[in-house]
Amino acid sequence: MPKRQLLKVNKKKEKHAPPVCTRTFSSEQNASSPERAYMKSPKGPETADEYLAAGVEAEEAGEKWRAGDAAKSARFFVRAIELYHAGLGRFPDSFDLAYNKARLQYDISQQPRLLAQWPVSTIDLLLLALESHRSALKLRQDDADVLFNTAQVLTSLGELRGEGSSTSPEGREDALKKFQEAMELFQRCSAVQEYRLNEAQAMTTDAPMLEDPTDEANHHPTEGEFDSQFPEEEQWASIIEPITANTLLDTIVAQIETLTVMCGLMISQDPAGLPRLEEYSRPLLQRANSLVEGTDRVQEISLSVANLTSAFADAAFRAGRLDLTTYQAELNNAFGSDIESSTSLQWLCDRADAYITFTASIRPTPELAAQIEAVSPQLIDLQWIYLTKALADLTTATKLPHVPNLAKIHLRRGDCELLRYCLGKVPSCYKQAVQNATMLLRNAEIYYRGAAKFAKVEMVGQEEAEALVKEAVVSSLNGDSAKLTPYGGQATKVIDEMRDEGLLMAEDMDRLGQQLNK
């Protein structure tokens, strides 16, 4: 399965900054702007530039209300998309209009507060964004930003299609295809960026020395020269950001993250392809190491490499290519002392995820449990130890200042306590879990209740609903079934997902089923 990630929901970003106006005085025709600069028109839009201007103005209004009034912000963004779409209806070859429409659709798909106001589901919006990006790519196939953004849309779709333990084989196959296409686009993007970086460096090296500015010091332009330099009509110019080492690192990090998620899918869809992924990653990691020197992104790159290393180790262990001792060693080494764990929120959450994934991979399956009389005590000890470590990391994360996605972190804390509680059930019957069963359930209930409160504040409806049902499930396990009954079919779906993730054991499922059927 693709690895569940705590803080990656909003990580995907566009390569371009928000639209800005840039004024220049030139007699040349208006240039198209990657920053999508615009000028206002007193009439309705008639030209491609005017549609672009109106759309950007609506976008900027939406940005102003994004943090305060999500509904109002969404209305402005809807208007912006409508203007870009209408402009494309009249000017289908306008790359700027196509780019902005695609970019905005994807940006909204990554904002939970805006999605709650949107008339379509996340996956439907992502499909629309993908179609829009493909249209923009047809207009300019060597544009690095469109290549990058199209790949990002594909990875987001792949994550949605492949997430969850109950995903169908068809869904996992579709997710893997989207990841593979994304990697191809990232590779094309990287090639374009490398070429342009080399080209810029060559131009800098070959540039002639500047002339002595004092040669022109006593020259005063004539009236005609002045008028030709500064005509009355105002025009708008392109702002093209240069390709830098940081630009290349953005693309490499995106590729590393995509490979990390692909590892879990390869186990069920193409286990023989794991060595190919490892081979593919080597030059990426080498290039990242060469580019990161002298930048402030050493911690970010180290974390990406740690996540990929642990994902490779997990996939190799599940495929039978790695023994338990080696898997454990690689996991511990991946999250070594290179990163300051006590102050890095992302590091703490990613390490907790890796620990939880480790415990899931060494968890005996029902089929295995039916074949043996007792589970290896070493495996049970390791599960308890690493779940406790994960819980400690998540607890530390909640105490850091300005923590985003607190609802997701508290949900994960509740999951950890339930996983530890389940170690007290057959076939594990772990002594500490049995002795502390009441406390573990009480902790899980508290964490889920906290997750629901934070999700409500953060306006994340899906996480709020999940937390409320999970809190009700734990209450039922403690003997209070009244909270669970109102959720009906919604509870059944969440309970099935909890079973698939190892959060509920067979005897718990039986009890919950009886309570729901009353």
Side-chain angles (χ1 to χ4, degrees), residues 81 100-110 125-126 128-133:
I81 291 174
N100 267 15
K101 177 186 174 185
R103 172 190 52 76
L104 182 54
Q105 286 173 328
Y106 180 62
D107 183 47
I108 292 166
S109 75
Q110 302 302 292
L125 183 55
L126 281 170
L128 289 172
L130 179 60
E131 182 181 352
S132 297
H133 275 87

Side-chain angles (χ1 to χ4, degrees), residues 111-334:
Q111 304 294 329
R113 295 182 74 247
L114 292 177
L115 274 173
Q117 310 295 326
W118 219 251
V120 298
S121 66
T122 303
I123 195 163
D124 287 337
L125 183 55
L126 281 170
L127 289 171
L128 289 172
L130 179 60
E131 182 181 352
S132 297
H133 275 87
R134 293 197 193 281
S135 297
L137 197 55
K138 289 178 182 178
L139 295 173
R140 197 172 293 179
Q141 297 186 17
D142 62 345
D143 187 277
D145 291 337
V146 177
L147 287 167
F148 183 93
N149 294 342
T150 308
Q152 293 280 55
V153 177
L154 285 163
T155 58
S156 294
L157 276 169
E159 288 168 357
L160 279 180
R161 292 286 286 142
E163 72 179 2
S165 54
S166 59
T167 303
S168 67
E170 293 78 14
R172 290 193 292 270
E173 180 66 26
D174 181 61
L176 187 57
K177 288 180 179 177
K178 285 186 168 49
F179 286 131
Q180 290 168 338
E181 185 182 356
M183 290 301 295
E184 292 172 3
L185 291 175
F186 279 134
Q187 195 168 15
R188 285 173 56 188
C189 175
S190 184
V192 170
Q193 291 171 337
E194 291 275 7
Y195 174 80
R196 291 181 178 170
L197 179 62
N198 293 335
E199 187 179 48
Q201 290 172 340
M203 290 177 64
T204 302
T205 303
D206 298 338
M209 295 186 64
L210 294 175
E211 296 181 4
D212 187 350
T214 59
D215 292 345
E216 301 291 329
N218 298 317
H219 176 72
H220 299 281
T222 66
E223 184 176 348
E225 288 176 328
F226 188 90
D227 289 341
S228 66
Q229 293 174 22
F230 300 96
E232 293 181 3
E233 184 180 0
E234 294 181 359
Q235 304 291 341
W236 298 87
S238 301
I239 300 177
I240 301 176
E241 294 185 1
I243 300 296
T244 64
N246 270 326
T247 312
L248 286 169
L249 281 173
D250 287 340
T251 306
I252 291 173
V253 168
Q255 291 179 83
I256 292 173
E257 291 176 349
T258 303
L259 287 173
T260 301
V261 182
M262 286 178 69
C263 286
L265 285 171
M266 296 294 281
I267 293 298
S268 60
Q269 303 306 117
D270 183 19
L274 282 171
R276 293 197 302 273
L277 282 189
E278 291 184 85
E279 187 67 27
Y280 183 93
S281 70
R282 290 193 183 99
L284 275 180
L285 300 180
Q286 292 171 358
R287 185 62 174 138
N289 288 332
S290 68
L291 290 169
V292 77
E293 294 180 8
T295 72
D296 60 354
R297 302 181 66 176
V298 174
Q299 185 180 104
E300 176 191 358
I301 300 302
S302 297
L303 180 58
S304 295
V305 173
N307 285 329
L308 181 61
T309 301
S310 65
F312 273 138
D314 179 69
F317 173 76
R318 289 164 58 194
R321 297 175 51 235
L322 204 66
D323 61 60
L324 176 59
T325 302
T326 306
Y327 178 17
Q328 184 182 359
E330 292 204 9
L331 173 62
N332 293 336
N333 291 336

Side-chain angles (χ1 to χ4, degrees), residues 22-26 28 30 39 231-237:
T22 303
R23 182 177 302 179
T24 187
F25 297 92
S26 170
E28 297 179 358
N30 289 356
M39 53 186 175
E232 293 181 3
E233 184 180 0
E234 294 181 359
Q235 304 291 341
W236 298 87

Side-chain angles (χ1 to χ4, degrees), residues 4-77:
R4 290 186 64 182
Q5 298 170 322
L6 292 178
L7 297 182
K8 298 297 178 66
V9 177
N10 300 325
K11 189 173 180 64
K12 307 299 183 187
K13 294 180 181 179
E14 300 299 326
K15 301 298 279 303
H16 286 174
V20 296
C21 289
T22 303
R23 182 177 302 179
T24 187
F25 297 92
S26 170
S27 59
E28 297 179 358
Q29 193 171 0
N30 289 356
S32 63
S33 169
E35 295 286 343
R36 316 312 170 215
Y38 72 98
M39 53 186 175
K40 295 182 180 180
S41 170
K43 302 178 182 179
E46 292 293 337
T47 67
D49 283 346
E50 289 176 356
Y51 275 104
L52 186 66
V56 170
E57 188 171 22
E59 265 198 77
E60 291 185 335
E63 289 293 343
K64 291 178 182 177
W65 291 100
R66 186 194 290 257
D69 190 333
K72 192 170 185 177
S73 176
R75 288 196 295 272
F76 278 114
F77 286 134

